[in-house]
Amino acid sequence: VGELVQIGDVAEAVGLSLRTIRYYEEMGLVRPSSRSKGGFRLYTDADVARLLVIKRMKPLGFSVDDMRDLLAVRDQLDTPATTAPERAALQERLQVFRSATAARILALQDELVNAHRFADELLHAAEEHTAAGG
Amino acid sequence: VGELVQIGDVAEAVGLSLRTIRYYEEMGLVRPSSRSKGGFRLYTDADVARLLVIKRMKPLGFSVDDMRDLLAVRDQLDTPATTAPERAALQERLQVFRSATAARILALQDELVNAHRFADELLHAAEEHTAAGG
DNA sequence: GCTACGTTAACGCTGCGTGATAGTTG
DNA sequence: GCAACTATCACGCAGCGTTAACGTAG
């Protein structure tokens, strides 16, 4: 629960490569809460949770910049010192992500239709040439 | 019908950028059937059709190499000189694309579920902080 | 001869994969 | 002191976007 885990365990747990995790750190998304005496990255549960957020955002087409932005909003909302007007502004930034996600959902549905059509085309192309040679 | 069109018209028609169309040519996917005296690319309907196939494959996650491969299969199937045993081999290559497309459809469905969950999370995160300050 | 359109480099970018080389942990 | 893990460069790659500098079409 209050465990510190190394990058390898984290990678296996969240399904990201070591390289990817280090890359996100390099880009300012997730910093391990501490390091071992020898320099090994040590992650808390909260750190892992951040990586999971990222992993969810990735297939939605969000860029690293977008992810950093959303994580920052989350951090601010979780900060008690954040004032009400500040929270209102953060809500608007969340709204942008909701819109983008909604748009992405529509795009995915389009792609699904497209994929089915393509599969059909592949079948027809196959049949045309196997049956009566048209 | 037997019209030759320039790259700009093609780009608008299929929804790809000039750069992208040239890139696909560079990669050996679609060569314009001819050039103007001064060197302008001139495309036939068949050329445009090839580009449309590519445009359909792109969101399915196929690489340029994959696309070249599928177009080659198509070309072979459309060639009357292709023998029956050759056609059988081509069918097997088509099967690979069908499998990949089926897998992609499943992946897209997963991504859709993921996207909906993410949208819900965004809503909950918003509500938690707007209503009773938890 | 003007304007819109096109040509070929060639460099830039994202999101990592893939070594190389060296140090750490237990 | 050995195996397994990790560290930091640093280069490579796909799939284009984006100038730059210049030629063509009509």
Side-chain angles (χ1 to χ4, degrees), chain A residues 119-134, chain B residues 69-70 72-79 82-100:
Chain A
D120 279 358
E121 280 182 22
L122 283 179
L123 268 181
H124 292 336
E127 284 165 5
E128 266 178 42
H129 292 277
T130 32
Chain B
D69 203 40
L70 180 62
V73 171
R74 251 182 45 130
D75 290 347
Q76 289 278 21
L77 285 176
D78 287 349
T79 301
T82 303
T83 68
E86 283 170 347
R87 287 176 189 281
L90 293 173
Q91 292 301 336
E92 286 188 32
R93 287 169 68 186
L94 271 187
Q95 179 54 43
V96 174
F97 285 96
R98 280 199 290 275
S99 303

Side-chain angles (χ1 to χ4, degrees), chain A residues 6 8 22 35 40-41:
Chain A
Q6 296 185 178
R22 293 189 189 118
R35 293 266 187 157
F40 283 21
R41 274 166 261 253

Side-chain angles (χ1 to χ4, degrees), chain B residues 6 8 22 35 40-41:
Chain B
Q6 297 184 177
R22 292 191 189 115
R35 294 264 188 159
F40 284 22
R41 271 165 261 253

Side-chain angles (χ1 to χ4, degrees), chain B residues 60-124:
Chain B
L60 298 181
F62 289 112
S63 71
V64 167
D65 281 358
D66 294 334
M67 297 171 184
R68 181 171 39 233
D69 203 40
L70 180 62
L71 288 171
V73 171
R74 251 182 45 130
D75 290 347
Q76 289 278 21
L77 285 176
D78 287 349
T79 301
T82 303
T83 68
E86 283 170 347
R87 287 176 189 281
L90 293 173
Q91 292 301 336
E92 286 188 32
R93 287 169 68 186
L94 271 187
Q95 179 54 43
V96 174
F97 285 96
R98 280 199 290 275
S99 303
T101 303
R104 179 60 175 166
I105 285 174
L106 292 180
L108 282 173
Q109 287 168 346
D110 268 18
E111 285 179 26
L112 254 178
V113 172
N114 195 334
H116 280 295
R117 277 207 304 240
F118 188 75
D120 280 358
E121 280 181 24
L122 283 180
L123 268 182
H124 293 337

